[in-house]
Amino acid sequence: MNTEKLKEVLAQARHETGKVIIGQNDVIERALIAIITGNHALVEGVPGVAKTLLVRTLAHVLGCEFARIQFTPDLMPADITGTNVFNLQRNEFSLIKGPIFTSFLLADEINRAPAKTQSALLQAMQERCVTIDRDTHPLPANFTVFATQNPIEYEGTYPLPEAQKDRFMLKITMAAPGREDELMLAKRTMTEEAPERLLAAGVVKPVIQAAELAALREQLGLIVLRDELTGYLVDIVRATRAHESVLVGGGPRATQSLIMAARAYAAMNGRDFVTPDDIKAMAQPVLEHRLILRPEFEIEGLTVVEVIQQILQQIAVPR
């Protein structure tokens, strides 16, 4: 077994997705990294930057099912997991599956849902199964949650618990595209090359079937990570717990996530081995949503991103 198929599929998927999602190459890469490692991603961006279209396109490109849930304060666990309904003809209860029974789930504005609904989603993310009336039901093998948050609107929202944020492998920040990309998007609007029309018209081609993803994930373990780089990676995560401005740093799950992300990033760039730059590139998306700063440093205007950059500059890179 080698990693050629993995690298080929990632390159093709990035290319096909880029036909629809304009000017968001880093975003596409990070979303593919979450999928290929079998993890979940937290997507943050203002309305209108194509968060939903991104996940729909990735589902199409990778041959997977897609479902979307709009989270609201009155959403109950049964609304997403499903419920048992009595069938009069059969004289028995039948399970009506909810939208969570899919491969790629877009949890839109996840922080608007109350704690009870969040806990139902938390079980699905961690165990890849849901419990309905004391019966446990498995979810599809490729179950992946892309949860979106609006970074500027907090009225009527419920902050995500730290345990739930830790279940997201990485955070994807979607900013508005640059002027040239937005100009291209403007010219395509109302034409046959509008992003939504390209996806609907079949111009974007699937590169694999859903059943092939499991074999690709196994190839990820063949990406070489030298022992000294593993130590470097661990030191970065441990430094987040010791930094004077950090109240809560990254835990062991952050270390595991950074290892997987660095390997996937290396494969994304056509290599069979991890470099220090791969680890540095993935440190921010993996750690950003996991760190909590001390209030006195936040008041001074220090950001989590600045802390991560400080740590990367302080830890010696192995030769």
Side-chain angles (χ1 to χ4, degrees):
M1 183 186 292
N2 58 46
T3 61
E4 292 306 313
K5 179 66 174 177
L6 172 64
K7 291 183 285 188
E8 179 187 345
V9 167
L10 287 174
Q12 290 176 343
R14 180 169 53 183
H15 174 71
E16 292 296 323
T17 308
K19 293 178 181 178
V20 176
I21 308 300
I22 301 168
Q24 300 279 9
N25 293 332
D26 289 346
V27 169
I28 294 171
E29 284 187 355
R30 291 173 184 181
L32 283 169
I33 286 169
I35 293 167
I36 208 65
T37 56
N39 285 279
H40 312 287
L42 186 62
V43 186
E44 191 170 276
V46 297
V49 290
K51 297 187 291 294
T52 302
L53 186 60
L54 168 70
V55 183
R56 278 180 53 209
T57 305
L58 285 169
H60 174 76
V61 167
L62 298 175
C64 292
E65 295 178 322
F66 167 79
R68 175 180 176 276
I69 301 174
Q70 180 65 52
F71 279 67
T72 56
D74 60 348
L75 195 72
M76 298 303 291
D79 295 329
I80 64 172
T81 61
T83 187
N84 286 310
V85 176
F86 189 73
N87 190 318
L88 290 173
Q89 293 179 333
R90 297 182 181 179
N91 199 32
E92 63 181 13
F93 283 94
S94 300
L95 174 63
I96 306 299
K97 292 183 177 180
I100 204 169
F101 285 88
T102 188
S103 295
F104 290 2
L105 176 69
L106 180 72
D108 211 0
E109 295 192 292
I110 187 175
N111 52 339
R112 292 198 180 280
K116 188 180 290 188
T117 305
Q118 298 280 11
S119 65
L121 185 63
L122 187 60
Q123 181 197 14
M125 290 171 61
Q126 181 63 25
E127 308 296 337
R128 282 186 164 76
C129 62
V130 294
T131 301
I132 304 171
D133 293 341
R134 299 183 182 178
D135 293 326
T136 301
H137 304 273
L139 293 170
N142 297 320
F143 178 70
T144 303
V145 174
F146 289 90
T148 73
Q149 285 192 130
N150 184 335
I152 59 173
E153 189 178 354
Y154 292 105
E155 186 176 345
T157 63
Y158 300 79
L160 294 184
E162 295 309 313
Q164 185 166 4
K165 287 198 287 187
D166 195 42
R167 295 308 197 281
F168 291 104
M169 178 193 193
L170 45 77
K171 177 182 176 182
I172 302 172
T173 301
M174 290 189 73
R179 186 182 187 279
E180 292 302 317
D181 292 318
E182 193 163 358
L183 186 61
M184 182 191 302
L185 179 62
K187 290 179 178 178
R188 287 187 181 186
T189 302
M190 301 292 290
T191 71
E192 294 301 318
E193 293 189 350
E196 294 83 356
R197 290 191 182 185
L198 287 176
L199 186 59
V203 175
V204 180
K205 304 296 183 185
V207 297
I208 56 168
Q209 298 300 314
E212 300 176 66
L213 272 175
L216 290 178
R217 291 190 180 110
E218 290 183 8
Q219 292 184 20
L220 202 61
L222 301 177
I223 304 294
V224 177
L225 178 62
R226 292 181 291 129
D227 288 346
E228 55 266 35
L229 284 184
T230 303
Y232 172 63
L233 184 150
V234 168
D235 288 342
I236 290 173
V237 178
R238 291 181 64 84
T240 65
R241 304 171 209 158
H243 198 277
E244 62 175 0
S245 66
V246 177
L247 181 63
V248 178
R253 188 180 280 114
T255 303
Q256 295 174 313
S257 294
L258 189 50
I259 287 172
M260 290 186 285
R263 279 185 158 141
Y265 188 77
M268 187 81 67
N269 287 277
R271 283 181 277 101
D272 294 318
F273 57 91
V274 175
T275 68
D277 286 340
D278 297 330
I279 296 171
K280 289 180 178 179
M282 287 292 101
Q284 180 181 322
V286 168
L287 295 171
E288 183 180 355
H289 61 292
R290 290 183 161 96
L291 304 190
I292 300 177
L293 299 185
R294 297 184 184 277
E296 59 268 29
F297 287 91
E298 279 192 305
I299 292 172
E300 293 176 3
L302 187 67
T303 66
V304 171
V305 173
E306 290 171 342
V307 170
I308 294 171
Q309 293 305 316
Q310 289 175 13
I311 290 171
L312 291 177
Q313 290 172 4
Q314 292 168 3
I315 305 298
V317 179
R319 299 297 178 188

